Amino acid sequence: MIQDIAPHIYHNEMSWQAPAPDDCVLLFSEKGEVCAGCTDGHLALPTVRLTGAELQQLQYLFSIDERAYYLAESEAAPGEGWEALPTGKLRSLPRRTRVFADDTLFACAAAGSLYRWYRNTRFCGCCGARLRKSETERAMVCPECGNVIYPKICPAVIVAVHDGDRLVLTRYKDRPIKHLALVAGFNEI
């Protein structure tokens, strides 16, 4: 997916910049649905100005080009024309039926991953104390024992086995996904 946002540039380094009024806010419900507007096939995300979110409610996520994206949790939509959409459904729409920008779709997917990590990383696995956000990096820190927890990544591999202009494609056995795919998978421990 990262390759689909070209010519845009994704910046995932942590930043503590104050949000600008036109920066995007990815509002997630407890169910993990993102608040977005979709009219005439164009996906839009609410802005800081539109949500009226306070600085302490916003967690910087990343930037695409010069626009910053922030995370907030809310069950309330910022107004009419916005709805809660599952990020998985956005990604599974066939390309021919979606006309919204791949950088917006990428932002929703990347934010969904970080939302789930922040939501699920609230207590220390060593001592059980409530975690705090690190003041120096993207991590959660235990104020009692000093344990530091970083977002987990799940390394994967994908390869294109080819013979000239022909590719080897696979189908997943015993999975609901029926389309053809390149040889790929997650790396095991």
Side-chain angles (χ1 to χ4, degrees):
M1 243 178 110
I2 185 80
Q3 72 277 4
D4 293 332
I5 72 168
H8 303 286
I9 299 173
Y10 174 59
H11 305 277
N12 69 345
E13 59 276 3
M14 193 59 186
S15 174
W16 281 266
Q17 63 195 31
D22 290 328
D23 285 338
C24 289
V25 177
L26 289 125
L27 287 172
F28 280 88
S29 69
E30 279 188 19
K31 291 190 261 180
E33 296 174 325
V34 66
C35 179
C38 192
T39 55
D40 299 327
H42 294 282
L43 186 68
L45 299 172
T47 62
V48 172
R49 176 186 295 116
L50 181 66
T51 63
E54 300 291 326
L55 182 59
Q56 65 272 16
Q57 295 174 293
L58 299 173
Q59 169 66 49
Y60 176 82
L61 295 176
F62 49 80
S63 294
I64 297 177
D65 297 331
E66 300 303 316
R67 176 174 267 182
Y69 292 78
Y70 290 84
L71 174 68
E73 192 170 353
S74 175
E75 293 298 320
E80 195 174 323
W82 300 96
E83 60 182 307
L85 302 168
T87 58
K89 281 194 176 180
L90 290 174
R91 289 190 306 247
S92 66
L93 288 174
R95 279 187 178 274
R96 63 185 175 277
T97 61
R98 69 173 199 244
V99 294
F100 44 84
D102 283 330
D103 59 313
T104 305
L105 177 64
F106 176 81
C108 291
S113 179
L114 286 167
Y115 166 74
R116 287 185 299 278
W117 179 74
Y118 279 115
R119 181 192 65 200
N120 296 335
T121 311
R122 295 186 182 191
F123 297 95
C124 180
C126 295
C127 73
R130 182 171 275 285
L131 297 170
R132 293 187 185 142
K133 292 177 183 167
S134 170
E135 295 179 11
T136 59
E137 59 189 337
R138 188 181 316 279
M140 298 297 281
V141 180
C142 178
E144 299 298 320
C145 71
N147 184 28
V148 180
I149 300 114
Y150 297 97
K152 68 179 177 179
I153 58 170
C154 300
V157 63
I158 186 166
V159 296
V161 180
H162 66 92
D163 177 19
D165 62 351
R166 299 181 316 155
L167 282 174
V168 173
L169 298 175
T170 63
R171 283 191 203 275
Y172 291 107
K173 183 180 179 191
D174 302 326
R175 290 210 191 153
I177 302 168
K178 299 298 180 201
H179 59 271
L180 295 170
L182 291 171
V183 178
F186 288 99
N187 295 326
E188 300 295 332
I189 293 172

